[in-house]
Amino acid sequence: MRKLALADPETAGEFRARLEREKIEPDSAVTGAMADDIIYGLSLTTSLGRAIAGGYVRLIAAGVGPGRIDRYRRAIRREGDENTTCAEIIAGSFGSVLIWGDDGLADEFLRILDLLKRKWLYALSAEPMEVVSEIIGPRGTSAGSAWLKFLADVFAHDLTYNQFRRFSAVFPRAVRSWPAGKRTWRIEQLRRVVRHDFNLACVFADALNRELSLLAEKGLEQFVSEGLARYQKDESRGLKFLGLDTRSALEACHRLRETGVLSLNRQRLSTYLQARCGRPVPIQPVSAMTGPVRETDNGEALAFFDGRTIFLADEIGRFPDHHRNDFLYKALAWIEAGLLEFNTFDFDLERFADLYAETAGLQCPDEGDAGDLDRFFKAFPDPRIAGDLFSVFEYGRIRTLLENAYPAGAQRYFPLAREEARTMLRSVDLPALMPILFAGIALNDDMQPWLGAGERNRIAANNIFRIFTAFTAGAAYPEASAAGVRQVLTGPCRDIFPTGGNYVPLSTPFGLRVRPDLFYAAFASYERQAGMIKEKIARLSGQSVPRSMIRRRLQEQGGRLSPEDLREMIHDVRRGTTSQDTAAARVTISPADLDMEALYRELNTEAPGTDDFGSCIFRYPEWDHHIGDYLASHVMVRQRTVTAEQTDFYRDTLSRYAGLVKKIRYAFEMLKPEGITVLRKWREGEEFDYRQLLEYAVDKKAGRTPSERIYIKRLKSQRDVAVLLLLDFSRSTSNKVAGSDTAMVLDVEKEALVLFCEALSVTGDSFAIAGFSGTGRLGVDYFQIKSFDEPINDDVRRRIGMISPQRNTRMGAAIRHATARFTDMTARTRLLIIISDGFPNDIDYKRDYALADTRRSLLEARTKGIIVHSITINIAGDSKLDDLYGRVRHSVISDVRELPDRLVRIYGRLTG
């Protein structure tokens, strides 16, 4: 290592650090040989030396024997003497091939690299060979072998330079994106196509990432056979068929599809669940889960529920046709929704102790990083057994409630789970007791055929079933399942399950089981917040409100509680609507006797604070479209006031736009009410309409029945409008205006503000002006330039002149804060106008996430009766703007110089 340190201290330090991180301690001889090879690589290129160092670390960490390490060394030396690019490919990728011990694959790797080098040395890139090291792994090397054979088929063609570049751009990216279990047979079909024509394979690879991705192995093979048959008869027809450019190709794809696909079923399932549960139920693919995904003995689990979101497998291929697989999606969603509908994760240890007094001796550890269910499980010698038994009892409770509420659905959907359970039980010679209990209790299947000849298991199963019937079946709350678990594990059956290393965790049909770990991961912040609020309520009022009740209210309210929420919860506990008779008995103060406002302020769930600079601090939730719910108190907004220093900007703008200001004032005079409106021909009013009195007299003289509408009514006209103009102060507003060397986009925005103020001073409308910017979720700045109750004075004019570009654009938080500014405004028309020069963008707030949150904040404003209109400046029209704001709720001004004139025109149209 001393030699390496002398040659390149930085590489030596990184190499030593990686060895220590991987806890590798090679002997001095091996270290010396590695150092020599790294120095050899550094003598050629720095990148090669570092790639060799990384390759050695991976090989030694994987425990590769000296023979393969020597092969790695010889391959690098051989290629390094001829071509450093090839040597870097070997250093970076060949080691991963050697790790998995397939000598045939290693030979093929070197052969294909040699072929690639001979044909495309001037355009050689590492990417095609890097794919091999990325797609092989513990489950086998078949995908890597198929890819190398595919490369051989590709290079058998005489490709042009552009075709080779197209190959490097299309195929490696496509193969990386495919699920690991599908790569091998998809590559095999690519091989069949590329043997005929390279361009045909490019078209087919693109189709594999579209509708063809829905086909299973057999279906894809049949589709390719049909396409190649057409290609041999007519190349043009075959090309269009394999590229899915014809109706017959799409029909064939649909006919051959076997798997069920969540993306095709998601909307229908969401609609049904919303109707059933009375609120939106997010459905996400399992691939979107961020936590651990447990695999069952019968394959990957197909369904999870974390208390908020139902996760279903991206694809289901349990049956040979997609209709039955689609039906399985319905069954899984139908069953898992029962956990939401019947409040599985509302389990509360305090409520459990109140409902079942005999559990007083149960010692549940008070751990800050665990939810109530986990604490309950840890009260028993083996928490795994308690958790599995709770899943059995809880799914049994849900099953009895579903059978009672939806008997037709139970008859349709539970048989699928029962048949899967029987398949799992048949797959082992002596099924364990816990899976048998799941089949009998959770799914209402006959347990007797699986219990064997021994009396011990039979007696235990029957006793456990009786406990379930007595404690849990049909119960309204999950605490009943916990009571059944406690009765089993502290009663005569407590020793029926093997403990320690002899216990095999429960495997269930399709992976159906209660997952408190996922629930706690999703709601940890609400759990902690609910615990804090519970303690404060108890200290301040003497009331004991279950933490689960507070947590649920926090979930519903996006992490915020109002005085009315507190009043309702305490009132519910007093009435005993939470089924807590003993808890209700502890209530000593009526909710009417409490000062809810004072209690609310003490809890400080929403009240603003101040920072070190005296700025008011507000916290708002943020919408996370991945989970379909709010992140409580996720964003911090600082309300600041722009410094009012001396500036001539306002006066100079009025002078520059003198002609336009005159026109604007005249136009807005037309919007100003005239004062009194006279309405004629009324049945009643303040005075007679003399013209109608004359007609009345004439009609009476002529013998006709006269009209009774002979009065005048005078109405006082009023213009009742409140508007808040919200500007984007992001860094991008410092861009220069086209055709100007000095003026910035923000300068034009400020000019528009001046004209806006002059226009509204004529109409007398109540208005406010603010801007926003910031960095990160804890650094959103809301700059107040003029409040609703502040007149247009010199301070406001100076603030407009002092506006300057700031940082990023976390638009959702700014819109929520602007919406809150309308709280005390009673105007009949409340209008929020947003001016921005692009899309929302901030740290960890980009693309779909940012668009979804901004769209949600706009919806929140509209539900509060606020009209929202957005003006996007300095960019061309974009279809995403329609998705964000709505087709008729925004304007695009591509030339920012038009903003001053267009802003007042838009305002007049919205309020005139």
Side-chain angles (χ1 to χ4, degrees):
M1 294 295 290
R2 189 178 298 108
K3 290 188 294 183
L4 180 58
L6 292 172
D8 189 332
E10 184 178 352
T11 301
E14 292 177 1
F15 184 53
R16 189 181 300 106
R18 293 183 67 176
L19 289 175
E20 292 174 355
R21 191 162 55 247
E22 297 290 342
K23 298 180 180 179
I24 299 172
E25 296 182 4
D27 58 45
S28 57
V30 173
T31 304
M34 288 191 298
D36 289 341
D37 289 336
I38 296 171
I39 293 170
Y40 166 76
L42 290 170
S43 68
L44 299 175
T45 65
T46 302
S47 58
L48 175 58
R50 293 181 176 177
I52 293 172
Y56 271 127
V57 170
R58 288 194 298 272
L59 286 169
I60 297 174
V64 173
R68 290 198 174 89
I69 290 179
D70 184 61
R71 185 173 187 182
Y72 178 76
R73 176 183 300 115
R74 285 186 283 108
I76 289 173
R77 292 278 186 168
R78 183 179 65 250
E79 293 298 340
D81 293 338
E82 297 181 11
N83 184 277
T84 56
T85 302
C86 284
E88 282 195 40
I89 293 174
I90 289 177
S93 301
F94 190 50
S96 299
V97 175
L98 291 171
I99 286 173
W100 302 110
D102 189 333
D103 291 332
L105 182 67
D107 293 340
E108 187 70 6
F109 180 95
L110 295 177
R111 186 181 74 82
I112 297 300
L113 180 60
D114 189 59
L115 176 63
L116 181 62
K117 179 177 63 175
R118 290 201 307 270
K119 300 196 71 169
W120 298 107
L121 182 60
Y122 66 92
L124 190 61
S125 67
E127 193 168 27
M129 306 308 293
E130 287 174 348
V131 172
V132 183
S133 62
E134 293 174 13
I135 65 177
I136 61 176
R139 295 189 178 183
T141 60
S142 59
S145 178
W147 174 251
L148 288 173
K149 293 175 182 176
F150 169 71
L151 293 181
D153 291 331
V154 169
F155 300 140
H157 296 284
D158 291 326
L159 304 182
T160 64
Y161 174 79
N162 288 334
Q163 285 179 320
F164 180 79
R165 303 311 299 174
R166 186 182 183 189
F167 159 78
S168 298
V170 172
F171 291 96
R173 183 173 66 248
V175 171
R176 287 186 176 110
S177 67
W178 294 341
K182 298 182 177 183
R183 283 183 181 135
T184 302
W185 48 267
R186 283 190 181 180
I187 294 172
E188 291 295 342
Q189 298 308 314
L190 262 180
R191 290 187 63 202
R192 292 179 62 193
V193 175
V194 81
R195 289 185 197 127
H196 287 78
D197 185 79
F198 173 77
N199 292 325
L200 183 65
C202 293
V203 171
F204 179 62
D206 179 64
L208 277 172
N209 288 324
R210 295 187 286 126
E211 286 85 348
L212 286 184
S213 65
L214 307 179
L215 297 186
E217 181 176 2
K218 183 179 177 182
L220 184 62
E221 182 180 359
Q222 293 180 23
F223 182 87
V224 171
S225 297
E226 288 187 34
L228 292 179
R230 293 171 187 254
Y231 183 79
Q232 289 171 350
K233 293 179 182 178
D234 186 325
E235 291 187 2
S236 177
R237 289 179 59 201
L239 182 70
K240 291 180 179 179
F241 185 89
L242 287 171
L244 290 176
D245 291 331
T246 63
R247 177 178 295 180
S248 60
L250 293 172
E251 290 175 350
C253 182
H254 179 73
R255 183 183 73 251
L256 295 171
R257 179 167 71 88
E258 297 178 2
T259 59
V261 182
L262 179 60
S263 59
L264 301 180
N265 291 276
R266 191 169 174 177
Q267 184 59 48
R268 184 169 63 253
L269 295 176
S270 295
T271 302
Y272 164 73
L273 293 179
Q274 180 168 359
R276 171 175 153 185
C277 300
R279 58 191 174 98
V281 181
I283 295 178
Q284 294 287 341
V286 168
S287 61
M289 293 184 68
T290 56
V293 180
R294 180 181 182 274
E295 293 187 358
T296 68
D297 294 339
N298 204 35
E300 291 187 357
L302 303 183
F304 298 94
F305 180 60
D306 69 354
R308 170 171 49 196
T309 303
I310 295 177
F311 293 91
L312 299 174
D314 299 59
E315 297 180 9
I316 295 180
R318 291 295 179 92
F319 303 107
D321 67 273
H322 70 86
H323 297 290
R324 294 185 67 191
N325 288 315
D326 290 342
F327 184 75
L328 180 54
Y329 271 122
K330 297 178 185 178
L332 294 173
W334 188 85
I335 293 172
E336 290 293 86
L339 302 181
L340 172 65
E341 190 173 6
F342 300 114
N343 308 312
T344 291
F345 289 111
D346 278 354
F347 177 83
D348 191 288
L349 272 175
E350 183 179 352
R351 182 166 57 193
F352 175 62
D354 289 337
L355 288 170
Y356 303 96
E358 67 274 13
T359 64
L362 198 63
Q363 299 297 318
C364 299
D366 188 8
E367 298 180 2
D369 60 345
D372 280 6
L373 272 175
D374 276 328
R375 291 175 58 204
F376 171 73
F377 299 155
K378 291 175 181 178
F380 300 95
D382 194 332
R384 298 174 303 165
I385 295 175
D388 287 347
L389 193 58
F390 182 84
S391 286
V392 170
F393 273 59
E394 182 61 13
Y395 269 92
R397 183 182 75 89
I398 298 300
R399 188 256 308 164
T400 57
L401 294 172
L402 288 173
E403 288 174 340
N404 182 59
Y406 313 103
Q411 291 178 1
R412 292 184 67 199
Y413 299 126
F414 275 120
L416 280 173
R418 291 191 195 107
E419 185 54 42
E420 179 73 6
R422 292 168 192 163
T423 300
M424 295 176 67
L425 292 171
R426 282 193 291 265
S427 66
V428 293
D429 295 333
L430 295 173
L433 180 59
M434 197 71 81
I436 298 174
L437 291 173
F438 191 92
I441 293 175
L443 303 177
N444 200 25
D445 204 5
D446 185 9
M447 294 187 291
Q448 302 307 317
W450 313 103
L451 291 171
E455 285 297 315
R456 187 169 182 264
N457 275 0
R458 190 178 300 276
I459 294 172
N462 291 334
N463 286 337
I464 293 172
F465 190 84
R466 280 195 291 270
I467 291 171
F468 166 75
T469 304
F471 282 85
T472 308
Y477 296 94
E479 288 78 12
S481 297
V485 171
R486 182 195 176 280
Q487 192 69 15
V488 172
L489 296 183
T490 59
C493 300
R494 62 181 177 273
D495 297 325
I496 195 66
F497 302 104
T499 58
N502 296 322
Y503 179 72
V504 178
L506 172 66
S507 292
T508 61
F510 311 121
L512 300 175
R513 60 184 293 117
V514 178
R515 291 294 300 267
D517 55 330
L518 296 182
F519 173 77
Y520 189 76
F523 294 102
S525 62
Y526 288 148
E527 284 279 357
R528 290 190 290 268
Q529 192 176 356
M532 178 199 71
I533 293 173
K534 172 183 170 62
E535 292 177 3
K536 286 190 176 182
I537 291 176
R539 174 170 55 82
L540 296 169
S541 67
Q543 311 293 310
S544 180
V545 180
R547 183 166 61 175
S548 60
M549 181 188 291
I550 301 172
R551 188 195 63 238
R552 185 196 292 185
R553 190 64 65 101
L554 288 170
Q555 292 171 218
E556 294 171 353
Q557 302 291 105
R560 296 170 291 176
L561 292 180
S562 67
E564 187 60 32
D565 291 323
L566 298 172
R567 184 177 293 108
E568 288 179 2
M569 288 190 293
I570 294 175
H571 186 62
D572 286 346
V573 171
R574 183 170 178 80
R575 287 189 309 166
T577 55
T578 61
S579 294
Q580 279 187 272
D581 297 335
T582 55
R586 289 203 303 269
V587 174
T588 57
I589 303 175
S590 167
D593 298 331
L594 286 173
D595 185 349
M596 289 296 171
E597 296 294 337
L599 179 59
Y600 170 70
R601 289 193 296 271
E602 174 67 21
L603 292 176
N604 196 29
T605 56
E606 201 176 11
T610 59
D611 64 5
D612 294 338
F613 301 98
S615 302
C616 289
I617 299 297
F618 300 81
R619 288 189 176 272
Y620 293 96
E622 190 167 85
W623 179 259
D624 187 338
H625 74 292
H626 296 298
I627 62 176
D629 202 352
Y630 288 98
L631 302 174
S633 301
H634 189 67
V635 185
M636 185 174 74
V637 176
R638 290 193 298 264
Q639 181 171 298
R640 306 167 64 180
T641 301
V642 177
T643 304
E645 296 183 7
Q646 185 60 43
T647 174
D648 295 328
F649 181 86
Y650 198 98
R651 187 184 64 238
D652 292 345
T653 301
L654 289 180
S655 176
R656 192 179 311 115
Y657 288 93
L660 181 58
V661 169
K662 185 176 180 180
K663 292 180 181 178
I664 289 172
R665 283 175 174 162
Y666 177 78
F668 273 65
E669 281 284 355
M670 299 297 100
L671 296 176
K672 189 175 180 180
E674 295 181 2
I676 301 296
T677 300
V678 177
L679 303 177
R680 299 182 181 276
K681 296 184 179 181
W682 283 77
R683 292 181 183 275
E684 66 223 2
E686 293 87 358
E687 59 183 88
F688 288 115
D689 185 343
Y690 291 105
R691 285 180 291 183
Q692 298 305 313
L693 278 176
L694 289 173
E695 291 184 13
Y696 183 93
V698 171
D699 288 342
K700 195 165 185 178
K701 191 78 172 175
R704 296 189 294 267
T705 303
S707 171
E708 297 179 358
R709 298 180 178 273
I710 58 174
Y711 293 96
I712 288 174
K713 181 179 287 189
R714 288 182 172 86
L715 297 178
K716 185 178 180 180
S717 297
Q718 292 182 336
R719 181 177 167 87
D720 196 10
V721 177
V723 59
L724 193 156
L725 190 62
L726 182 64
L727 280 79
D728 172 11
F729 289 174
S730 63
R731 188 182 297 110
S732 57
T733 59
S734 63
N735 293 335
K736 295 293 186 294
V737 176
S740 173
D741 295 331
T742 58
M744 299 184 297
V745 170
L746 187 60
D747 292 332
V748 182
E749 290 186 7
K750 290 158 62 177
E751 292 173 349
L753 282 184
V754 173
L755 301 187
F756 186 77
C757 291
E758 291 299 306
L760 268 68
S761 64
V762 173
T763 63
D765 293 345
S766 178
F767 71 100
I769 303 173
F772 69 95
S773 184
T775 300
R777 67 182 183 87
L778 300 179
V780 180
D781 290 325
Y782 183 92
F783 299 95
Q784 186 165 281
I785 300 167
K786 178 190 177 300
S787 62
F788 282 110
D789 57 358
E790 188 175 11
I792 286 289
N793 53 31
D794 289 340
D795 279 346
V796 172
R797 296 185 181 101
R798 284 193 290 264
R799 287 175 202 150
I800 292 174
M802 292 303 298
I803 295 171
S804 60
Q806 301 295 318
R807 291 168 289 175
N808 299 330
T809 315
R810 206 174 193 100
M811 192 176 288
I815 292 173
R816 290 186 178 93
H817 189 67
T819 300
R821 301 311 94 201
F822 283 98
T823 301
D824 298 326
M825 300 305 297
T826 58
R828 184 173 55 193
T829 301
R830 297 185 297 170
L831 175 63
L832 173 62
I833 299 178
I834 305 165
I835 300 179
S836 176
D837 67 338
F839 291 96
N841 180 56
D842 191 15
I843 298 170
D844 67 22
Y845 189 82
K846 302 179 185 299
R847 294 181 288 278
D848 292 344
Y849 181 94
L851 293 176
D853 176 61
T854 302
R855 194 160 45 234
R856 191 77 177 191
S857 67
L858 294 169
L859 178 62
E860 293 165 16
R862 291 177 183 127
T863 58
K864 294 178 180 178
I866 298 170
I867 301 169
V868 183
H869 192 88
S870 174
I871 301 175
T872 304
I873 59 174
N874 215 37
I875 65 172
D878 191 317
S879 60
K880 288 185 178 179
L881 291 171
D882 290 339
D883 297 335
L884 181 58
Y885 299 114
R887 290 183 178 276
V888 297
R889 294 191 176 108
H890 79 278
S891 305
V892 177
I893 303 177
S894 56
D895 187 348
V896 70
R897 291 171 294 186
E898 299 177 8
L899 176 63
D901 184 29
R902 291 279 298 277
L903 173 60
V904 291
R905 289 175 183 269
I906 290 169
Y907 180 75
R909 187 179 75 244
L910 292 173
T911 62

